Amino acid sequence: MKEPIVTLKDLKVHYPIRSGFFNRVTDRVKAVDGVTLSLYPGQTLGLVGESGSGKSTIGKTIVGLEAMTSGQLLYQGQDVSRPRQRKEKHYNRDVQMIFQDSLSSLNPRKNIYDIIAEPIRNFERLDPVAENKRIRELLSIVGLPQRTLFQYPFQFSGGQRQRIGIARALATNPKLIIADEPVSALDLSVQAQVLNFMKQIQRDLGIAFLFISHDLGVVRHMTDDIAVMHRGRLVETGSRTDIFDHPAHIYTQRLLAAIPSINVAARQTHRQQRQAIERVFDEQYTDYYDGDGLPLPLRKLSATHAAAIKQPEGRD
Amino acid sequence: MEKQLLLSGKKVTVSFMINGDWQTAIYQVDLDIHRDEVVALVGESGSGKSTFATAVMGLHKANQSKVTGSITLADQELIGLSNLEMAKLRGEKVGMIFQDPLAALNPLMRIGDQIKEAMAMRDVYQPSEYKQRVLELLDQVGIVNPARTARQFPHQLSGGMRQRIMIALAIANNPDLIIADEPTTALDVTIQAQILDLIKRIQEKKHAGVLLITHDLGVVAEVADTVAVMYAGQLVEKAPVAELFAHPKHPYTRSLLKSNPSIEQEQDDLYVIPGTVPALAEMDHHKDLFLQRVPWMQELADQPIADELVEVAPQHFVRGEAWRTFEFPEEQVQ
């Protein structure tokens, strides 16, 4: 088996809640509470869950935008939990991120040339001619016309801006890209364009993707493997078939049942199914969650499939 | 049995004053809503769905916009009503659910007081009855502990709870028509399913008509009875929900359905609609504007077509003739 690019070991990210006269820490929000996860070269992993489940926090922690409370971040087997270590191992160059809001993640005072040049200037130190060539190359990879090179972010549509964000992420030839809800702000037709495009660069360049999304339809389309999060922990991981055809955890089943189906004829049965699963979720809650309402530890079901359930099905 | 006609929009046109010019945002929209009917208005951002809803609510500013055509609610003409008359209708006859409940609720008022305020405008209850009525409403929208929630402020509630409060506000005066503008867009799928069920249940119980504005085709398929598809300020297709999903006709509807990542089946590549929605100033509403984005049908794109939709099957209306010849290019068919 190949060596993972990035491994998270028992990651915990807790935020302190301060209150009272001395502003003391009175409680903690456990945004991520013990997540272990590996990303392999060329793999696309979908991370799904409802808002507040901690999926974005994981993405931010991997690129170093969020400090870990405890746990370990490994890059090709080496510890890069500290910013200093990340710098030594060129981690920041090799792991890039695409954000949800393309307008706020691009500097409004810089033109496209400078936006894409920034990571190159930061990590590669090319001479001006080579830099220019590289930027024009990136622009054509993301399918934007060369004449837009000196325009500013506000002059682009949402889909175009998202592609500029992708060009910037590609600028340093990364090994892994974290995409945090990259299409959820886009219209359907534009969304299709960006998704196809991301799929294509993933095929052509073999970059690994961590695709964070709440939209299971998009995740199914984009990723080979899926991890489902709930309340700061993983509740199920597996291949696309494992998750969509044989969901083992009740939360995954609930999530799948809640997706609106475009099959009009079956909408009555679909609704009944959904309500039945809601009932099961309430009834069997304690089989899947511990006394604090946290998901149980993951248990391996097959080589690819793991779920946070009490015991393997069909066995004592 | 013929259902009672509730809202009837005839040739509704809305223009805005932009940079000293009148620009048409929606053009000649015909849309009827009956009792016991959920009509979904579908389209991408900028297609004019919300502009239509805002026109029905009479919320366009008079000095910056121009609404023409006719909107009747239970035989009463709404266009031309004064602000005061319109304010009376809002809430009493029409209830509105907005996308962002946090922005629509008053952050400084307790939930119970906000609902009370909405009812107090009508002056139908004795002061002593309000409290009971507020609790009833909260219970109706599925709030587990109404007495406690009534004392809370909006920021103390979750997104799903807030949307339930919005629904309680919208139905506080038993309106005949409920307009829901992207009611579940800001919510998680599990919560979305609950809120959609709730809207459907309330609609059935009160025999209300619902105008559901959304861009999510899945949501449409789940709750709508009739679907109207909008592109660049005009309706392009209107049909009963099963008919529309089974036999979409207009090129835009078909493209939209094809670019939707499906949960049921795997596709290699999604269909991409070339080009973008034209800017407001560039919209020539006498043509089929979507054809600009169909490179292989350019000869039809410049031909003027009628504003009205044509009935091509029972209750199925399509604009223009392009759908008869429209096909996806070869490489997209496989």
Side-chain angles (χ1 to χ4, degrees), chain A residues 50-51 187 189 192 196 199 220-221 244 260-261 267 270-271 274-275, chain B residues 44-45 188 192-193 197 218 221-222 224 263-264 266 268-272:
Chain A
E50 59 191 60
S51 43
D187 267 321
S189 64
N196 279 351
K199 221 173 171 176
R220 173 165 210 176
H221 180 68
F244 279 96
S261 151
R267 75 180 180 188
H270 185 229
R271 178 173 307 159
R274 188 171 71 224
Q275 282 159 356
Chain B
E44 295 176 85
S45 40
D188 285 316
Q192 164 172 292
D197 282 349
E222 289 278 332
I263 201 79
E264 274 98 15
E266 276 159 37
D268 242 8
D269 266 327
L270 298 169
Y271 177 66
V272 174

PDB file of all heavy atoms in Angstrom, chain A residues 50-51 187 189 192 196 199 220-221 244 260-261 267 270-271 274-275, chain B residues 44-45 188 192-193 197 218 221-222 224 263-264 266 268-272:
ATOM      1  N   GLU A  50     -23.389  17.593   8.663  1.00  0.00           N
ATOM      2  CA  GLU A  50     -24.195  18.798   8.733  1.00  0.00           C
ATOM      3  C   GLU A  50     -23.346  19.967   9.235  1.00  0.00           C
ATOM      4  O   GLU A  50     -22.208  19.774   9.644  1.00  0.00           O
ATOM      5  CB  GLU A  50     -25.402  18.562   9.645  1.00  0.00           C
ATOM      6  CG  GLU A  50     -25.039  18.172  11.050  1.00  0.00           C
ATOM      7  CD  GLU A  50     -26.268  17.688  11.820  1.00  0.00           C
ATOM      8  OE1 GLU A  50     -26.892  16.698  11.407  1.00  0.00           O
ATOM      9  OE2 GLU A  50     -26.587  18.297  12.834  1.00  0.00           O
ATOM     10  N   SER A  51     -23.923  21.175   9.204  1.00  0.00           N
ATOM     11  CA  SER A  51     -23.134  22.309   9.675  1.00  0.00           C
ATOM     12  C   SER A  51     -22.875  22.154  11.167  1.00  0.00           C
ATOM     13  O   SER A  51     -23.735  21.697  11.910  1.00  0.00           O
ATOM     14  CB  SER A  51     -23.834  23.634   9.372  1.00  0.00           C
ATOM     15  OG  SER A  51     -25.199  23.555   9.644  1.00  0.00           O
ATOM     16  N   ASP A 187     -24.632  28.542  -8.912  1.00  0.00           N
ATOM     17  CA  ASP A 187     -25.840  28.035  -9.541  1.00  0.00           C
ATOM     18  C   ASP A 187     -25.575  26.685 -10.186  1.00  0.00           C
ATOM     19  O   ASP A 187     -24.440  26.354 -10.521  1.00  0.00           O
ATOM     20  CB  ASP A 187     -26.305  28.997 -10.629  1.00  0.00           C
ATOM     21  CG  ASP A 187     -27.302  29.980 -10.079  1.00  0.00           C
ATOM     22  OD1 ASP A 187     -28.120  29.550  -9.258  1.00  0.00           O
ATOM     23  OD2 ASP A 187     -27.238  31.148 -10.458  1.00  0.00           O
ATOM     24  N   SER A 189     -25.922  25.353 -13.151  1.00  0.00           N
ATOM     25  CA  SER A 189     -25.207  25.206 -14.424  1.00  0.00           C
ATOM     26  C   SER A 189     -23.722  25.559 -14.248  1.00  0.00           C
ATOM     27  O   SER A 189     -22.855  24.947 -14.855  1.00  0.00           O
ATOM     28  CB  SER A 189     -25.838  26.076 -15.491  1.00  0.00           C
ATOM     29  OG  SER A 189     -25.726  27.425 -15.155  1.00  0.00           O
ATOM     30  N   ALA A 192     -21.932  22.714 -12.309  1.00  0.00           N
ATOM     31  CA  ALA A 192     -21.564  21.585 -13.158  1.00  0.00           C
ATOM     32  C   ALA A 192     -20.224  21.865 -13.846  1.00  0.00           C
ATOM     33  O   ALA A 192     -19.357  20.989 -13.934  1.00  0.00           O
ATOM     34  CB  ALA A 192     -22.652  21.337 -14.193  1.00  0.00           C
ATOM     35  N   ASN A 196     -16.930  19.542 -13.178  1.00  0.00           N
ATOM     36  CA  ASN A 196     -16.294  18.821 -14.282  1.00  0.00           C
ATOM     37  C   ASN A 196     -14.831  19.192 -14.379  1.00  0.00           C
ATOM     38  O   ASN A 196     -13.958  18.356 -14.589  1.00  0.00           O
ATOM     39  CB  ASN A 196     -16.947  19.200 -15.606  1.00  0.00           C
ATOM     40  CG  ASN A 196     -18.240  18.436 -15.812  1.00  0.00           C
ATOM     41  OD1 ASN A 196     -18.536  17.528 -15.054  1.00  0.00           O
ATOM     42  ND2 ASN A 196     -18.981  18.819 -16.811  1.00  0.00           N
ATOM     43  N   LYS A 199     -12.757  17.717 -11.664  1.00  0.00           N
ATOM     44  CA  LYS A 199     -12.578  16.298 -11.929  1.00  0.00           C
ATOM     45  C   LYS A 199     -11.483  16.088 -12.986  1.00  0.00           C
ATOM     46  O   LYS A 199     -10.675  15.168 -12.886  1.00  0.00           O
ATOM     47  CB  LYS A 199     -13.898  15.716 -12.425  1.00  0.00           C
ATOM     48  CG  LYS A 199     -14.150  14.361 -11.821  1.00  0.00           C
ATOM     49  CD  LYS A 199     -15.502  13.828 -12.138  1.00  0.00           C
ATOM     50  CE  LYS A 199     -15.534  12.386 -11.661  1.00  0.00           C
ATOM     51  NZ  LYS A 199     -16.837  11.783 -11.843  1.00  0.00           N
ATOM     52  N   ARG A 220     -21.010  12.402  -4.219  1.00  0.00           N
ATOM     53  CA  ARG A 220     -21.071  11.136  -4.949  1.00  0.00           C
ATOM     54  C   ARG A 220     -20.441  11.291  -6.335  1.00  0.00           C
ATOM     55  O   ARG A 220     -19.775  10.393  -6.836  1.00  0.00           O
ATOM     56  CB  ARG A 220     -22.531  10.706  -5.095  1.00  0.00           C
ATOM     57  CG  ARG A 220     -22.647   9.498  -5.977  1.00  0.00           C
ATOM     58  CD  ARG A 220     -23.978   8.818  -5.884  1.00  0.00           C
ATOM     59  NE  ARG A 220     -23.772   7.407  -6.141  1.00  0.00           N
ATOM     60  CZ  ARG A 220     -24.710   6.496  -6.058  1.00  0.00           C
ATOM     61  NH1 ARG A 220     -25.911   6.832  -5.671  1.00  0.00           N
ATOM     62  NH2 ARG A 220     -24.443   5.245  -6.328  1.00  0.00           N
ATOM     63  N   HIS A 221     -20.669  12.441  -6.914  1.00  0.00           N
ATOM     64  CA  HIS A 221     -20.151  12.674  -8.251  1.00  0.00           C
ATOM     65  C   HIS A 221     -18.627  12.832  -8.249  1.00  0.00           C
ATOM     66  O   HIS A 221     -17.953  12.433  -9.184  1.00  0.00           O
ATOM     67  CB  HIS A 221     -20.801  13.929  -8.833  1.00  0.00           C
ATOM     68  CG  HIS A 221     -20.339  14.256 -10.209  1.00  0.00           C
ATOM     69  ND1 HIS A 221     -20.648  13.476 -11.291  1.00  0.00           N
ATOM     70  CD2 HIS A 221     -19.571  15.254 -10.674  1.00  0.00           C
ATOM     71  CE1 HIS A 221     -20.089  13.985 -12.366  1.00  0.00           C
ATOM     72  NE2 HIS A 221     -19.437  15.060 -12.021  1.00  0.00           N
ATOM     73  N   PHE A 244     -23.068   4.631  -0.036  1.00  0.00           N
ATOM     74  CA  PHE A 244     -24.358   4.884  -0.667  1.00  0.00           C
ATOM     75  C   PHE A 244     -25.236   3.639  -0.733  1.00  0.00           C
ATOM     76  O   PHE A 244     -26.454   3.737  -0.649  1.00  0.00           O
ATOM     77  CB  PHE A 244     -24.173   5.475  -2.069  1.00  0.00           C
ATOM     78  CG  PHE A 244     -23.897   6.946  -2.028  1.00  0.00           C
ATOM     79  CD1 PHE A 244     -22.603   7.424  -2.062  1.00  0.00           C
ATOM     80  CD2 PHE A 244     -24.946   7.853  -1.924  1.00  0.00           C
ATOM     81  CE1 PHE A 244     -22.358   8.783  -2.002  1.00  0.00           C
ATOM     82  CE2 PHE A 244     -24.705   9.214  -1.857  1.00  0.00           C
ATOM     83  CZ  PHE A 244     -23.409   9.680  -1.905  1.00  0.00           C
ATOM     84  N   PRO A 260     -33.471  15.196  -1.076  1.00  0.00           N
ATOM     85  CA  PRO A 260     -34.651  15.205  -1.928  1.00  0.00           C
ATOM     86  C   PRO A 260     -34.367  14.422  -3.201  1.00  0.00           C
ATOM     87  O   PRO A 260     -33.323  14.575  -3.819  1.00  0.00           O
ATOM     88  CB  PRO A 260     -34.875  16.676  -2.239  1.00  0.00           C
ATOM     89  CG  PRO A 260     -33.965  17.444  -1.375  1.00  0.00           C
ATOM     90  CD  PRO A 260     -32.892  16.515  -0.912  1.00  0.00           C
ATOM     91  N   SER A 261     -35.311  13.571  -3.577  1.00  0.00           N
ATOM     92  CA  SER A 261     -35.119  12.775  -4.781  1.00  0.00           C
ATOM     93  C   SER A 261     -35.869  13.428  -5.928  1.00  0.00           C
ATOM     94  O   SER A 261     -36.937  14.002  -5.737  1.00  0.00           O
ATOM     95  CB  SER A 261     -35.659  11.375  -4.515  1.00  0.00           C
ATOM     96  OG  SER A 261     -36.110  10.809  -5.709  1.00  0.00           O
ATOM     97  N   ARG A 267     -42.319   9.869  -4.508  1.00  0.00           N
ATOM     98  CA  ARG A 267     -42.090  10.794  -3.402  1.00  0.00           C
ATOM     99  C   ARG A 267     -42.845  10.426  -2.142  1.00  0.00           C
ATOM    100  O   ARG A 267     -42.380  10.680  -1.042  1.00  0.00           O
ATOM    101  CB  ARG A 267     -42.347  12.238  -3.826  1.00  0.00           C
ATOM    102  CG  ARG A 267     -43.779  12.681  -3.987  1.00  0.00           C
ATOM    103  CD  ARG A 267     -43.730  14.152  -4.410  1.00  0.00           C
ATOM    104  NE  ARG A 267     -45.036  14.726  -4.600  1.00  0.00           N
ATOM    105  CZ  ARG A 267     -45.225  15.937  -5.113  1.00  0.00           C
ATOM    106  NH1 ARG A 267     -44.193  16.658  -5.487  1.00  0.00           N
ATOM    107  NH2 ARG A 267     -46.431  16.421  -5.246  1.00  0.00           N
ATOM    108  N   HIS A 270     -40.851   7.674  -0.535  1.00  0.00           N
ATOM    109  CA  HIS A 270     -39.599   8.264  -0.074  1.00  0.00           C
ATOM    110  C   HIS A 270     -39.806   8.986   1.252  1.00  0.00           C
ATOM    111  O   HIS A 270     -39.009   8.877   2.177  1.00  0.00           O
ATOM    112  CB  HIS A 270     -39.074   9.223  -1.151  1.00  0.00           C
ATOM    113  CG  HIS A 270     -37.735   9.784  -0.841  1.00  0.00           C
ATOM    114  ND1 HIS A 270     -37.453  11.119  -0.930  1.00  0.00           N
ATOM    115  CD2 HIS A 270     -36.594   9.207  -0.420  1.00  0.00           C
ATOM    116  CE1 HIS A 270     -36.211  11.333  -0.585  1.00  0.00           C
ATOM    117  NE2 HIS A 270     -35.658  10.193  -0.275  1.00  0.00           N
ATOM    118  N   ARG A 271     -40.933   9.706   1.341  1.00  0.00           N
ATOM    119  CA  ARG A 271     -41.221  10.432   2.576  1.00  0.00           C
ATOM    120  C   ARG A 271     -41.462   9.463   3.726  1.00  0.00           C
ATOM    121  O   ARG A 271     -40.971   9.658   4.840  1.00  0.00           O
ATOM    122  CB  ARG A 271     -42.439  11.329   2.373  1.00  0.00           C
ATOM    123  CG  ARG A 271     -42.816  12.080   3.641  1.00  0.00           C
ATOM    124  CD  ARG A 271     -43.908  13.092   3.389  1.00  0.00           C
ATOM    125  NE  ARG A 271     -43.567  13.985   2.290  1.00  0.00           N
ATOM    126  CZ  ARG A 271     -44.468  14.689   1.605  1.00  0.00           C
ATOM    127  NH1 ARG A 271     -45.731  14.607   1.902  1.00  0.00           N
ATOM    128  NH2 ARG A 271     -44.098  15.475   0.631  1.00  0.00           N
ATOM    129  N   ARG A 274     -38.252   8.038   4.891  1.00  0.00           N
ATOM    130  CA  ARG A 274     -37.488   9.025   5.645  1.00  0.00           C
ATOM    131  C   ARG A 274     -38.011   9.110   7.063  1.00  0.00           C
ATOM    132  O   ARG A 274     -37.250   9.137   8.023  1.00  0.00           O
ATOM    133  CB  ARG A 274     -37.607  10.377   4.950  1.00  0.00           C
ATOM    134  CG  ARG A 274     -36.716  11.421   5.529  1.00  0.00           C
ATOM    135  CD  ARG A 274     -36.719  12.657   4.667  1.00  0.00           C
ATOM    136  NE  ARG A 274     -37.971  13.364   4.755  1.00  0.00           N
ATOM    137  CZ  ARG A 274     -38.626  13.863   3.716  1.00  0.00           C
ATOM    138  NH1 ARG A 274     -38.153  13.723   2.506  1.00  0.00           N
ATOM    139  NH2 ARG A 274     -39.749  14.508   3.889  1.00  0.00           N
ATOM    140  N   GLN A 275     -39.348   9.133   7.201  1.00  0.00           N
ATOM    141  CA  GLN A 275     -39.910   9.249   8.540  1.00  0.00           C
ATOM    142  C   GLN A 275     -39.655   7.989   9.355  1.00  0.00           C
ATOM    143  O   GLN A 275     -39.423   8.056  10.560  1.00  0.00           O
ATOM    144  CB  GLN A 275     -41.403   9.582   8.456  1.00  0.00           C
ATOM    145  CG  GLN A 275     -41.592  11.066   8.145  1.00  0.00           C
ATOM    146  CD  GLN A 275     -42.949  11.388   7.544  1.00  0.00           C
ATOM    147  OE1 GLN A 275     -43.736  10.494   7.278  1.00  0.00           O
ATOM    148  NE2 GLN A 275     -43.210  12.669   7.322  1.00  0.00           N
TER     149      GLN A 275
ATOM    150  N   GLU B  44     -32.318  29.962 -11.925  1.00  0.00           N
ATOM    151  CA  GLU B  44     -31.029  30.275 -11.319  1.00  0.00           C
ATOM    152  C   GLU B  44     -31.078  31.664 -10.699  1.00  0.00           C
ATOM    153  O   GLU B  44     -32.036  32.397 -10.888  1.00  0.00           O
ATOM    154  CB  GLU B  44     -29.936  30.224 -12.386  1.00  0.00           C
ATOM    155  CG  GLU B  44     -29.749  28.839 -12.937  1.00  0.00           C
ATOM    156  CD  GLU B  44     -28.726  28.833 -14.052  1.00  0.00           C
ATOM    157  OE1 GLU B  44     -27.553  28.747 -13.748  1.00  0.00           O
ATOM    158  OE2 GLU B  44     -29.130  28.937 -15.217  1.00  0.00           O
ATOM    159  N   SER B  45     -30.016  32.039  -9.989  1.00  0.00           N
ATOM    160  CA  SER B  45     -30.032  33.374  -9.405  1.00  0.00           C
ATOM    161  C   SER B  45     -30.044  34.407 -10.526  1.00  0.00           C
ATOM    162  O   SER B  45     -29.402  34.238 -11.557  1.00  0.00           O
ATOM    163  CB  SER B  45     -28.829  33.578  -8.487  1.00  0.00           C
ATOM    164  OG  SER B  45     -27.682  33.022  -9.025  1.00  0.00           O
ATOM    165  N   ASP B 188     -29.436  22.401   6.723  1.00  0.00           N
ATOM    166  CA  ASP B 188     -28.884  21.081   6.410  1.00  0.00           C
ATOM    167  C   ASP B 188     -29.960  20.163   5.831  1.00  0.00           C
ATOM    168  O   ASP B 188     -31.139  20.370   6.076  1.00  0.00           O
ATOM    169  CB  ASP B 188     -28.359  20.443   7.693  1.00  0.00           C
ATOM    170  CG  ASP B 188     -27.060  21.069   8.115  1.00  0.00           C
ATOM    171  OD1 ASP B 188     -26.218  21.268   7.242  1.00  0.00           O
ATOM    172  OD2 ASP B 188     -26.910  21.354   9.304  1.00  0.00           O
ATOM    173  N   GLN B 192     -33.799  20.319   6.390  1.00  0.00           N
ATOM    174  CA  GLN B 192     -34.550  20.703   5.200  1.00  0.00           C
ATOM    175  C   GLN B 192     -35.757  19.789   5.002  1.00  0.00           C
ATOM    176  O   GLN B 192     -36.866  20.249   4.760  1.00  0.00           O
ATOM    177  CB  GLN B 192     -33.651  20.636   3.969  1.00  0.00           C
ATOM    178  CG  GLN B 192     -34.415  20.635   2.657  1.00  0.00           C
ATOM    179  CD  GLN B 192     -33.500  20.764   1.458  1.00  0.00           C
ATOM    180  OE1 GLN B 192     -32.889  21.785   1.245  1.00  0.00           O
ATOM    181  NE2 GLN B 192     -33.409  19.723   0.675  1.00  0.00           N
ATOM    182  N   ALA B 193     -35.524  18.481   5.146  1.00  0.00           N
ATOM    183  CA  ALA B 193     -36.602  17.516   4.962  1.00  0.00           C
ATOM    184  C   ALA B 193     -37.717  17.782   5.970  1.00  0.00           C
ATOM    185  O   ALA B 193     -38.899  17.751   5.621  1.00  0.00           O
ATOM    186  CB  ALA B 193     -36.060  16.100   5.118  1.00  0.00           C
ATOM    187  N   ASP B 197     -41.541  19.002   5.053  1.00  0.00           N
ATOM    188  CA  ASP B 197     -42.697  18.250   5.536  1.00  0.00           C
ATOM    189  C   ASP B 197     -43.668  19.169   6.260  1.00  0.00           C
ATOM    190  O   ASP B 197     -44.884  19.062   6.094  1.00  0.00           O
ATOM    191  CB  ASP B 197     -42.244  17.133   6.494  1.00  0.00           C
ATOM    192  CG  ASP B 197     -41.681  15.942   5.741  1.00  0.00           C
ATOM    193  OD1 ASP B 197     -41.837  15.915   4.510  1.00  0.00           O
ATOM    194  OD2 ASP B 197     -41.093  15.052   6.380  1.00  0.00           O
ATOM    195  N   GLY B 218     -34.446  18.953  -6.529  1.00  0.00           N
ATOM    196  CA  GLY B 218     -34.868  17.896  -5.613  1.00  0.00           C
ATOM    197  C   GLY B 218     -36.020  18.355  -4.741  1.00  0.00           C
ATOM    198  O   GLY B 218     -37.004  17.637  -4.550  1.00  0.00           O
ATOM    199  N   ALA B 221     -39.221  18.396  -6.749  1.00  0.00           N
ATOM    200  CA  ALA B 221     -39.788  17.066  -6.962  1.00  0.00           C
ATOM    201  C   ALA B 221     -40.445  16.532  -5.702  1.00  0.00           C
ATOM    202  O   ALA B 221     -41.391  15.756  -5.763  1.00  0.00           O
ATOM    203  CB  ALA B 221     -38.702  16.109  -7.440  1.00  0.00           C
ATOM    204  N   GLU B 222     -39.959  16.965  -4.534  1.00  0.00           N
ATOM    205  CA  GLU B 222     -40.514  16.455  -3.280  1.00  0.00           C
ATOM    206  C   GLU B 222     -41.866  17.071  -2.935  1.00  0.00           C
ATOM    207  O   GLU B 222     -42.738  16.384  -2.441  1.00  0.00           O
ATOM    208  CB  GLU B 222     -39.544  16.735  -2.126  1.00  0.00           C
ATOM    209  CG  GLU B 222     -38.290  15.893  -2.142  1.00  0.00           C
ATOM    210  CD  GLU B 222     -38.498  14.501  -1.548  1.00  0.00           C
ATOM    211  OE1 GLU B 222     -39.373  14.349  -0.692  1.00  0.00           O
ATOM    212  OE2 GLU B 222     -37.780  13.586  -1.964  1.00  0.00           O
ATOM    213  N   ALA B 224     -43.705  19.970  -4.815  1.00  0.00           N
ATOM    214  CA  ALA B 224     -44.529  20.787  -5.701  1.00  0.00           C
ATOM    215  C   ALA B 224     -45.643  19.988  -6.370  1.00  0.00           C
ATOM    216  O   ALA B 224     -45.542  18.780  -6.545  1.00  0.00           O
ATOM    217  CB  ALA B 224     -43.650  21.433  -6.762  1.00  0.00           C
ATOM    218  N   ILE B 263     -28.186  11.696  -7.256  1.00  0.00           N
ATOM    219  CA  ILE B 263     -27.823  10.813  -6.168  1.00  0.00           C
ATOM    220  C   ILE B 263     -28.154   9.378  -6.553  1.00  0.00           C
ATOM    221  O   ILE B 263     -27.625   8.427  -6.030  1.00  0.00           O
ATOM    222  CB  ILE B 263     -28.561  11.272  -4.887  1.00  0.00           C
ATOM    223  CG1 ILE B 263     -27.874  10.760  -3.646  1.00  0.00           C
ATOM    224  CG2 ILE B 263     -30.025  10.953  -4.898  1.00  0.00           C
ATOM    225  CD1 ILE B 263     -26.682  11.562  -3.285  1.00  0.00           C
ATOM    226  N   GLU B 264     -29.043   9.225  -7.543  1.00  0.00           N
ATOM    227  CA  GLU B 264     -29.496   7.881  -7.908  1.00  0.00           C
ATOM    228  C   GLU B 264     -28.527   7.176  -8.852  1.00  0.00           C
ATOM    229  O   GLU B 264     -28.398   5.976  -8.839  1.00  0.00           O
ATOM    230  CB  GLU B 264     -30.878   7.934  -8.565  1.00  0.00           C
ATOM    231  CG  GLU B 264     -32.020   7.922  -7.562  1.00  0.00           C
ATOM    232  CD  GLU B 264     -32.548   9.311  -7.295  1.00  0.00           C
ATOM    233  OE1 GLU B 264     -32.221  10.214  -8.086  1.00  0.00           O
ATOM    234  OE2 GLU B 264     -33.258   9.506  -6.305  1.00  0.00           O
ATOM    235  N   GLU B 266     -24.735   7.320 -11.296  1.00  0.00           N
ATOM    236  CA  GLU B 266     -23.446   7.966 -11.469  1.00  0.00           C
ATOM    237  C   GLU B 266     -23.272   8.419 -12.910  1.00  0.00           C
ATOM    238  O   GLU B 266     -23.606   7.717 -13.846  1.00  0.00           O
ATOM    239  CB  GLU B 266     -22.335   6.994 -11.082  1.00  0.00           C
ATOM    240  CG  GLU B 266     -22.104   7.032  -9.591  1.00  0.00           C
ATOM    241  CD  GLU B 266     -21.419   5.800  -9.073  1.00  0.00           C
ATOM    242  OE1 GLU B 266     -20.552   5.281  -9.782  1.00  0.00           O
ATOM    243  OE2 GLU B 266     -21.762   5.360  -7.968  1.00  0.00           O
ATOM    244  N   ASP B 268     -20.439  10.300 -15.624  1.00  0.00           N
ATOM    245  CA  ASP B 268     -19.019  10.580 -15.771  1.00  0.00           C
ATOM    246  C   ASP B 268     -18.754  12.071 -15.703  1.00  0.00           C
ATOM    247  O   ASP B 268     -17.996  12.554 -14.889  1.00  0.00           O
ATOM    248  CB  ASP B 268     -18.517  10.006 -17.095  1.00  0.00           C
ATOM    249  CG  ASP B 268     -17.455   8.966 -16.841  1.00  0.00           C
ATOM    250  OD1 ASP B 268     -17.260   8.634 -15.648  1.00  0.00           O
ATOM    251  OD2 ASP B 268     -16.837   8.495 -17.803  1.00  0.00           O
ATOM    252  N   ASP B 269     -19.407  12.790 -16.598  1.00  0.00           N
ATOM    253  CA  ASP B 269     -19.285  14.234 -16.596  1.00  0.00           C
ATOM    254  C   ASP B 269     -20.675  14.837 -16.566  1.00  0.00           C
ATOM    255  O   ASP B 269     -21.599  14.307 -17.154  1.00  0.00           O
ATOM    256  CB  ASP B 269     -18.561  14.702 -17.868  1.00  0.00           C
ATOM    257  CG  ASP B 269     -17.068  14.857 -17.604  1.00  0.00           C
ATOM    258  OD1 ASP B 269     -16.727  15.218 -16.465  1.00  0.00           O
ATOM    259  OD2 ASP B 269     -16.275  14.606 -18.520  1.00  0.00           O
ATOM    260  N   LEU B 270     -20.804  15.941 -15.873  1.00  0.00           N
ATOM    261  CA  LEU B 270     -22.085  16.624 -15.850  1.00  0.00           C
ATOM    262  C   LEU B 270     -22.218  17.473 -17.099  1.00  0.00           C
ATOM    263  O   LEU B 270     -21.236  17.948 -17.653  1.00  0.00           O
ATOM    264  CB  LEU B 270     -22.166  17.531 -14.625  1.00  0.00           C
ATOM    265  CG  LEU B 270     -22.086  16.830 -13.286  1.00  0.00           C
ATOM    266  CD1 LEU B 270     -21.904  17.844 -12.186  1.00  0.00           C
ATOM    267  CD2 LEU B 270     -23.339  16.024 -13.044  1.00  0.00           C
ATOM    268  N   TYR B 271     -23.453  17.685 -17.517  1.00  0.00           N
ATOM    269  CA  TYR B 271     -23.663  18.552 -18.664  1.00  0.00           C
ATOM    270  C   TYR B 271     -23.432  20.006 -18.239  1.00  0.00           C
ATOM    271  O   TYR B 271     -23.892  20.440 -17.193  1.00  0.00           O
ATOM    272  CB  TYR B 271     -25.084  18.383 -19.201  1.00  0.00           C
ATOM    273  CG  TYR B 271     -25.372  19.321 -20.340  1.00  0.00           C
ATOM    274  CD1 TYR B 271     -24.697  19.184 -21.543  1.00  0.00           C
ATOM    275  CD2 TYR B 271     -26.290  20.360 -20.206  1.00  0.00           C
ATOM    276  CE1 TYR B 271     -24.936  20.051 -22.583  1.00  0.00           C
ATOM    277  CE2 TYR B 271     -26.538  21.228 -21.245  1.00  0.00           C
ATOM    278  CZ  TYR B 271     -25.855  21.074 -22.434  1.00  0.00           C
ATOM    279  OH  TYR B 271     -26.078  21.937 -23.459  1.00  0.00           O
ATOM    280  N   VAL B 272     -22.693  20.723 -19.042  1.00  0.00           N
ATOM    281  CA  VAL B 272     -22.424  22.120 -18.740  1.00  0.00           C
ATOM    282  C   VAL B 272     -23.162  22.992 -19.742  1.00  0.00           C
ATOM    283  O   VAL B 272     -23.018  22.815 -20.952  1.00  0.00           O
ATOM    284  CB  VAL B 272     -20.916  22.435 -18.818  1.00  0.00           C
ATOM    285  CG1 VAL B 272     -20.683  23.930 -18.649  1.00  0.00           C
ATOM    286  CG2 VAL B 272     -20.173  21.668 -17.749  1.00  0.00           C
TER     287      VAL B 272
END
